[in-house]
Amino acid sequence: MHDDGYFDERVAARYDESSADMFAAGAIEPVVDFLVELAGSGRALELGIGTGRIALPLARRGVPVHGIDMSEAMVARLRSKPGGEAIGVTVGNFATTTVEGSFSVAYLVYNTISNLTTQAAQVACFQNVAAHIEPGGCFVVEVGVPGLQRLAPGETFLAFRVTDDRWGFDEYDVANQGLISHHLESVDGKLVRFSMPFRYAWPAELDLMAQIAGMTLRDRWSDWNREPFTSESTKHVSVWELPS
Ligand SMILES: C[S@@+](CC[C@H](N)C(=O)[O-])C[C@H]1O[C@@H](n2cnc3c(N)ncnc32)[C@H](O)[C@@H]1O
């Protein structure tokens, strides 16, 4: 049986609904505009394509998109949407899976680089991307800045969401650069818990991974609208390029 990882049938069935804010037009349009520009007349490769949140609107803008994802359950949701059948997907680990052809842009959004929970796997991911993009092509990553400035000495938990029916806490393991995101949700009167491990990395560590893979930093923004990245930024959108 195929291993869907953490995004198994149970998670996939509720993914779009539970990430509803990320599916809002205001969250998607700037991402797609950004990627259309970088793709130019070339193809785009999405690592962790999921249910097609970004791939489908990007394809509708005329960019040929191919995806990699380890979760058959997530990809089945993509397939069931209008236009989903036309998007090629290779099922496998995006740190190591190879696909045919080359791409002008590869992208990994919504903190998904951190789903690789070892440094070796993250380095392998950058190397895999470099092997797939054309000279002059780009790799775009959207990921949070580790919340270490908010973590008091000796504390391990940071709340990232507290509402009437949903609660989220990140549990930091600073010595190992690990964190577990705990999601609790009230569904039909029952408390449902889901916890997922991540490996966080400072932006400079990702720059070094890019350098190991032969890429250099072109831009780093604090969001998809190209606001400057500062000491207060809580996430970054970074673009590395493979030299021409
Ligand atoms: C947070 S979802 C993001 C999906 C989509 N990119 C989006 O923005 O909505 C992460 C996706 O990455 C996939 N994924 C996580 N780790 C992976 C890995 N090592 N190899 C392949 N897919 C992976 C999961 O199956 C899931 O579909």
Side-chain angles (χ1 to χ4, degrees):
M1 202 177 85
H2 182 78
D3 181 5
D4 279 348
Y6 283 89
F7 292 81
D8 59 8
E9 182 57 38
R10 186 177 74 112
V11 173
R14 301 201 63 240
Y15 180 80
D16 289 16
E17 186 190 337
S18 60
S19 310
D21 49 341
M22 296 297 282
F23 280 82
I28 289 176
E29 279 163 14
V31 187
V32 173
D33 287 345
F34 194 101
L35 294 172
V36 164
E37 203 177 307
L38 285 181
S41 55
R43 303 165 67 213
L45 176 66
E46 178 163 3
L47 284 71
I49 191 168
T51 64
R53 185 178 69 90
I54 301 301
L56 285 167
L58 186 58
R60 282 198 290 273
R61 292 276 295 271
V63 177
V65 184
H66 190 92
I68 302 176
D69 205 292
M70 71 194 300
S71 168
E72 303 258 21
M74 293 289 276
V75 173
R77 267 65 192 190
L78 162 64
R79 294 256 173 273
S80 70
K81 295 178 183 177
E85 284 294 345
I87 294 181
V89 179
T90 305
V91 173
N93 182 344
F94 57 57
T96 51
T97 298
T98 57
V99 306
E100 295 257 317
S102 62
F103 300 84
S104 52
V105 64
Y107 62 96
L108 185 45
V109 298
Y110 200 1
N111 299 322
T112 303
I113 182 87
S114 306
N115 281 126
L116 297 171
T117 53
T118 66
Q119 186 185 56
Q122 292 179 350
V123 169
C125 176
F126 275 79
Q127 291 174 317
N128 195 28
V129 165
H132 283 89
I133 54 178
E134 299 158 357
C138 292
F139 181 32
V140 183
V141 168
E142 174 195 32
V143 65
V145 174
L148 299 177
Q149 279 188 314
R150 289 177 53 217
L151 198 66
E155 289 291 337
T156 52
F157 283 97
L158 283 181
F160 61 84
R161 175 187 290 119
V162 177
T163 66
D164 286 348
D165 55 358
R166 292 179 70 181
W167 303 269
F169 303 92
D170 282 335
E171 180 180 7
Y172 277 77
D173 173 2
V174 175
N176 295 301
Q177 271 184 235
L179 73 79
I180 301 174
S181 285
H182 300 284
H183 301 258
L184 293 108
E185 192 171 353
S186 172
V187 180
D188 300 329
K190 281 194 184 149
L191 196 61
V192 178
R193 177 184 156 188
F194 173 66
S195 297
M196 190 180 298
F198 293 94
R199 178 181 189 272
Y200 66 80
W202 208 251
E205 188 185 359
L206 299 179
D207 291 341
L208 190 57
M209 293 182 191
Q211 189 184 319
I212 290 167
M215 296 184 280
T216 52
L217 184 68
R218 182 199 277 190
D219 286 310
R220 172 160 293 133
W221 310 103
S222 73
D223 64 18
W224 294 102
N225 294 313
R226 296 186 173 83
E227 288 299 320
F229 180 74
T230 71
S231 301
E232 279 72 49
S233 299
T234 55
K235 76 169 192 180
H236 59 107
V237 175
S238 295
V239 182
W240 296 274
E241 68 182 343
L242 198 63
S244 300

